[in-house]
Amino acid sequence: MLEEVERWLSTRSWSANDRPLHQILAAKQRTGQTVSVVLPALNEEATVGDIAAVIRHDLMRQVPLVDELVVVDSGSTDRTSEVAAAAGARVVHRDEILPRLPAVPGKGEVLWRSLLVTSGDIVCFVDADLRDFSSDFVSGIVGPLLTDPDVNLVKAMYDRPLAGAAGQGGRVTELMARPLLNMHWPQLAGFVQPLGGEYAARRSLLEQLPFPVGYGVELGMLVDALHLVGLDALAQVDVGVRKHRHQDGQALGRMAAAIYRTAQLRLARGHLIRPSLTQFERGADGFEPRTYSVDTEERPPMVEIAEYQARKAA
């Protein structure tokens, strides 16, 4: 791991408990910054209402941390919109935002358009398929932006259990995104959940970033933010455990392909190769990095080997 990343892990990786809610609220009042929470949703009637209700109860009614809660429906055919509205969220339909530009399918499209229907100085994105949702997901990642003016973007990090096994979720992260980042953008190797859908950023940064319309949006945003504001302006916060709906292998394949294409487009800016991979395991003191070499040795075509040429000649 790069020394710069080791230093970053010690100075820009926190726990949600590091900033008590009263400290975050005091900073919000002192700075006058406003906070918008956006839930991109497509057929999430089973979960979107619970998430919206928790945010509204914990962070709008009990304490005034969130100023605006918006669900952007990207074409649901179920009761996502009705459930979200009943839970207290403002629901906006994707196609109603910037109607002169026809919408295309994809999560990134929804996030991009959400900037047009929100007003917060800080925008917090939360996936709408989370189960057992805790408001720490919002306060944890918004906290550093309110208390530290040098921080521009904060990603949530967490365990992702799969079929009851701890740490087995995030298959596209481990098989596609983490190798890409380690090899081409090694400064970003310290992010535990680079593809996680829970992150918050200053509007002043988001409005300067291109948004891949599909699944590549999270990787693209990290890479572009690194180039625009530098590693020290990025951070991550441990919020515990993330439970959500898992996709099948074919869907994961499409996700991986979109992420790879997003990386390809950005590699045109410069080519960085680092043949090692940093992964994370939770230890007694939180997430601990483990770095492995992934350098791949290749043999030349056998026809180039003298002994083989001699054997064929014989």
Side-chain angles (χ1 to χ4, degrees):
M1 181 182 293
L2 298 177
E3 289 185 10
E4 181 182 8
V5 177
E6 291 183 349
R7 178 193 55 76
W8 179 85
L9 281 169
S10 66
T11 61
R12 285 290 186 263
S13 291
W14 299 295
S15 165
N17 296 326
D18 290 338
R19 289 174 176 81
L21 194 53
H22 68 83
Q23 178 185 348
I24 298 172
L25 288 169
K28 183 177 190 290
Q29 184 176 17
R30 183 175 65 253
T31 61
Q33 297 176 90
T34 53
V35 177
S36 298
V37 176
V38 173
L39 276 65
L42 176 62
N43 294 329
E44 302 294 357
E45 68 173 332
T47 49
V48 68
D50 290 340
I51 298 170
V54 169
I55 294 172
R56 185 161 180 80
H57 176 268
D58 292 1
L59 302 179
M60 299 180 80
R61 289 177 177 165
Q62 286 198 330
V63 297
L65 179 63
V66 172
D67 301 281
E68 183 175 45
L69 173 59
V70 178
V71 170
V72 182
D73 190 329
S74 59
S76 298
T77 56
D78 64 2
R79 298 182 61 254
T80 290
S81 292
E82 293 86 344
V83 170
R90 177 162 64 94
V91 178
V92 183
H93 294 273
R94 177 200 60 194
D95 296 348
E96 297 173 356
I97 308 171
L98 199 63
R100 69 169 180 81
L101 190 64
V104 296
K107 178 183 177 183
E109 176 85 353
V110 175
L111 300 184
W112 178 66
R113 288 177 184 256
S114 76
L115 297 180
L116 284 164
V117 293
T118 54
S119 59
D121 302 306
I122 294 169
V123 182
C124 175
F125 299 118
V126 176
D127 281 350
D129 65 343
L130 303 188
R131 295 183 286 108
D132 300 331
F133 176 77
S134 165
S135 58
D136 287 346
F137 273 71
V138 173
S139 58
I141 57 179
V142 165
L145 293 162
L146 289 169
T147 58
D148 190 336
D150 294 328
V151 174
N152 277 253
L153 184 149
V154 182
K155 296 278 293 189
M157 57 177 168
Y158 31 66
D159 292 311
R160 295 181 66 180
L162 176 64
Q168 295 302 307
R171 291 161 287 173
V172 176
T173 293
E174 299 302 332
L175 296 175
M176 176 61 72
R178 199 179 305 286
L180 281 172
L181 292 176
N182 275 261
M183 293 177 188
H184 299 296
W185 296 280
Q187 286 177 294
L188 298 174
F191 278 94
V192 175
Q193 297 291 352
L195 300 185
E198 291 69 47
Y199 48 98
R202 300 192 189 281
R203 178 176 294 273
S204 57
L205 170 63
L206 292 172
E207 64 192 13
Q208 297 182 67
L209 298 177
F211 277 63
V213 298
Y215 287 123
V217 62
E218 275 84 22
L219 182 134
M221 189 175 295
L222 268 186
V223 171
D224 294 339
L226 174 68
H227 287 293
L228 193 61
V229 296
L231 181 61
D232 281 342
L234 313 180
Q236 60 185 351
V237 172
D238 186 354
V239 296
V241 178
R242 183 188 197 267
K243 298 179 181 178
H244 66 115
R245 182 186 69 252
H246 293 284
Q247 302 196 55
D248 62 30
Q250 289 189 333
L252 295 179
R254 295 189 295 272
M255 183 184 300
I259 290 164
Y260 182 66
R261 181 55 180 158
T262 299
Q264 277 187 322
L265 294 173
R266 280 150 181 79
L267 284 171
R269 302 172 182 167
H271 201 64
L272 297 173
I273 299 295
R274 179 175 176 263
S276 59
L277 174 70
T278 298
Q279 296 178 314
F280 292 86
E281 298 176 8
R282 186 184 284 279
D285 298 321
F287 286 100
E288 299 175 355
R290 301 283 188 271
T291 300
Y292 305 88
S293 172
V294 292
D295 205 5
T296 302
E297 183 178 355
E298 294 187 15
R299 299 298 188 189
M302 188 58 73
V303 294
E304 298 178 12
I305 304 300
E307 290 85 346
Y308 187 76
Q309 292 175 358
R311 178 175 177 269
K312 286 194 71 174

